[in-house]
Amino acid sequence: MEECIFCKILNGDFGTEFVYENDYVAAFNDINPKAPVHVLVVPKVHIASLNELEDKNLMGELLSAVRAVAQKTGLKAYKTLINTGKEAGQEVFHLHLHVMGDK
Ligand code: AMP
Ligand code: ZN
């Protein structure tokens, strides 16, 4: 999706460094971190929110990537957050899982 900021990041438009990446998902630092480590895990295909996610294998990949990000960034304890819908605070409509913690 051309106008989606996370699709642009995934497309390499800004040269964003990925904290973690595989065939299905990528993870990068949040631009406005709310914790010492604040990483966003996103599917490589454009899915607007959790409500539009049908693929259960991809659900597993996303959670698996959260754990991989925690391991890679040295987080033993962390919060994982998914905002779904504008009223719940979702600002970017490309599904993302927040991974937040302190080392
Ligand atoms: P949410 O409120 O759950 O939709 O979260 C969107 C998150 O995306 C916020 O924490 C923003 O700081 C973050 N964000 C927005 N634009 C960018 C960007 N270009 N690169 C990295 N993170 C971003
Ligand atoms: Zn997108």
Side-chain angles (χ1 to χ4, degrees), residues 3-70:
E3 66 275 19
C4 170
I5 189 82
F6 287 177
C7 282
K8 286 183 178 167
I9 287 173
L10 289 166
N11 197 37
D13 288 7
F14 311 118
T16 308
E17 195 182 320
F18 294 142
V19 175
Y20 175 81
E21 182 183 14
N22 66 24
D23 287 347
Y24 312 102
V25 305
F28 49 84
N29 288 314
D30 194 294
I31 203 168
N32 183 20
K34 306 277 191 316
V37 175
H38 187 167
V39 174
L40 302 175
V41 174
V42 307
K44 284 195 168 175
V45 292
H46 181 86
I47 296 168
S49 81
L50 186 61
N51 282 340
E52 284 76 31
L53 176 58
E54 310 277 355
D55 182 343
K56 290 191 178 169
N57 286 323
L58 186 53
M59 288 183 186
E61 289 292 342
L62 287 161
L63 269 190
S64 177
V66 166
R67 195 167 60 186
V69 165

